[in-house]
Amino acid sequence: MKVVLITGCSSGIGLSLAVRLASDSSKIFKVYATMRNLAKKERLLESVKGLHRDTLEILQMDVTDRQSIMNAREKVVEKRVDILVCNAGVGLMGPLEIQSLDSMKHILEVNLLGTIQTIQVFLSDMKAQGQGRILVTGSTGGLHGLPFNEVYCASKFAIEGACESLAVLLQHFNIQVSLIECGPVNSDFLVNLQKAELGDESLQQVDGQTLSLYEKYLQHCSMVFQNAAQDTEDIVKVFLEAIHSTKPAFRYFTNSVMPPLTNLKVSEPDGMNYITALSQIIFSDDQ
Ligand SMILES: NC(=O)c1ccc[n+]([C@@H]2O[C@H](COP(=O)([O-])OP(=O)(O)OC[C@H]3O[C@@H](n4cnc5c(N)ncnc54)[C@H](OP(=O)(O)O)[C@@H]3O)[C@@H](O)[C@H]2O)c1
């Protein structure tokens, strides 16, 4: 059996991936679905309908708490993880000037340091095994910037750098690192997101022009989620493609092709075309 450990399984992509792998008809996966708050495990248990006692185990793990990661590692009966999925993440949206240091630290602690320290805890075992897979839920917000998401994008950009650096080294240990780059996904992400709402007291200190641009951004964002968000099952299919591949790629796009904005950024290295295009798309009145 392939031992899989997934972070952030209380909802969204992590939950769907855990259910799909634990339900795999081949029964080749033993899934350790981890979540920071075990009080939320009912949703996952309901989704697997109690059928998968032999392929699913739920463990507590908060990616910001090193001890809880080590405790989870100790509870893996097989004493090895073949496929580590770093998926836990949170968003932060609003004008940069209202973000408190604590909320910015929190995003970086979960998305960046949480991912890195999860990998750290399992890395020595994987190296000693001489094989392993590390899959990370990435974001197109880690490939190109999005206004009002500066800290979220910073955390996801940083993950790209960390994973790419690791991928170069870990090839020598037969460990493959892959990023699954998601655009908008229907999950609890927007519910769990720390977001400044129009009318919030915190926005009173913000200048009028920024507020009006933020209002446009929020409309754009809800339109994008309404029209283009993928379901978690679509994302899981891409995880499965990466998991089953004998020569996994470093980067997978969940829409199968590189999104045009990402493409624009790669093909126009001076950066201005991307910045002008995105500004036009989000803020122009005749979008
Ligand atoms: N949805 C999107 O549009 C989208 C787009 C691109 C990338 N992504 C990425 O996809 C990943 C999964 O998000 P999702 O869309 O499935 O959203 P989600 O439904 O909100 O799931 C996020 C998961 O992360 C968990 N989490 C948060 N802080 C944690 C911590 N300190 N330790 C352990 N787990 C923690 C949450 O647990 P709690 O329930 O306890 O909060 C939840 O299980 C994230 O990395 C996100 O950045 C999402």
Side-chain angles (χ1 to χ4, degrees):
M1 275 179 126
K2 291 272 178 214
V3 180
V4 188
L5 186 139
I6 310 170
T7 68
C9 292
S10 66
S11 63
I13 298 167
L15 183 146
S16 290
L17 182 62
V19 171
R20 173 63 185 81
L21 293 179
S23 319
D24 197 274
S25 54
S26 65
K27 289 195 176 278
I28 56 169
F29 299 109
K30 167 72 180 282
V31 180
Y32 287 88
T34 74
M35 57 186 73
R36 62 176 168 169
N37 180 2
L38 286 180
K40 292 190 177 180
K41 72 179 176 188
E42 289 312 317
R43 195 164 159 189
L44 175 56
L45 286 174
E46 274 168 27
S47 304
V48 294
K49 301 178 184 72
L51 290 174
H52 307 292
R53 277 174 224 283
D54 46 346
T55 54
L56 180 75
E57 198 145 329
I58 300 176
L59 299 178
Q60 194 278 334
M61 182 168 145
D62 181 334
V63 298
T64 64
D65 174 357
R66 195 179 184 86
Q67 191 57 51
S68 92
I69 307 174
M70 299 206 316
N71 292 346
R73 174 175 162 264
E74 283 307 303
K75 288 184 180 143
V76 173
V77 177
E78 295 77 6
K79 297 292 163 211
R80 67 167 208 283
V81 169
D82 301 305
I83 303 172
L84 175 65
V85 182
C86 297
N87 165 74
V90 275
L92 178 69
M93 192 189 284
L96 187 62
E97 50 272 50
I98 66 158
Q99 307 301 357
S100 69
L101 188 57
D102 279 348
S103 48
M104 294 190 289
K105 275 185 178 166
H106 179 67
I107 297 303
L108 293 168
E109 274 168 13
V110 177
N111 295 0
L112 174 59
L113 297 176
T115 301
I116 290 178
Q117 76 171 341
T118 302
I119 295 172
Q120 272 185 321
V121 167
F122 291 94
L123 191 55
S124 301
D125 292 344
M126 275 194 175
K127 281 181 171 175
Q129 284 157 220
Q131 60 92 22
R133 302 288 309 276
I134 299 172
L135 288 103
V136 178
T137 312
S139 169
T140 48
L143 299 168
H144 53 71
L146 298 167
F148 301 111
N149 286 273
E150 292 79 7
V151 184
Y152 176 72
C153 286
S155 72
K156 292 292 186 180
F157 266 64
I159 281 298
E160 297 281 323
C163 289
E164 199 167 89
S165 306
L166 266 176
V168 176
L169 175 73
L170 294 182
Q171 279 200 332
H172 296 273
F173 295 86
N174 193 25
I175 300 169
Q176 286 83 32
V177 181
S178 297
L179 277 157
I180 311 299
E181 310 285 14
C182 307
V185 183
N186 292 315
S187 66
D188 282 5
F189 189 75
L190 289 184
V191 180
N192 293 329
L193 172 80
Q194 288 182 50
K195 173 175 146 200
E197 300 287 357
L198 295 172
D200 277 4
E201 207 177 320
S202 63
L203 287 175
Q204 283 174 9
Q205 49 168 302
V206 175
D207 67 274
Q209 188 179 2
T210 304
L211 270 186
S212 115
L213 292 170
Y214 185 46
E215 198 170 348
K216 280 189 175 171
Y217 174 74
L218 290 177
Q219 284 165 9
H220 165 82
C221 191
S222 78
M223 194 183 71
V224 165
F225 267 88
Q226 257 173 39
N227 297 334
Q230 292 182 286
D231 289 329
T232 55
E233 285 74 22
D234 300 324
I235 311 303
V236 165
K237 280 184 195 148
V238 183
F239 269 96
L240 282 175
E241 183 191 338
I243 286 170
H244 286 303
S245 170
T246 47
K247 280 193 176 170
F250 174 63
R251 208 172 260 125
Y252 289 84
F253 291 96
T254 59
N255 279 315
S256 78
V257 289
M258 190 189 285
L261 283 168
T262 312
N263 207 0
L264 186 60
K265 180 163 172 180
V266 177
S267 60
E268 304 284 350
D270 86 0
M272 283 317 295
N273 278 356
Y274 170 74
I275 289 170
T276 310
L278 190 66
S279 173
Q280 185 78 15
I281 290 167
I282 297 176
F283 299 129
S284 128
D285 285 326
D286 48 73
Q287 54 177 278

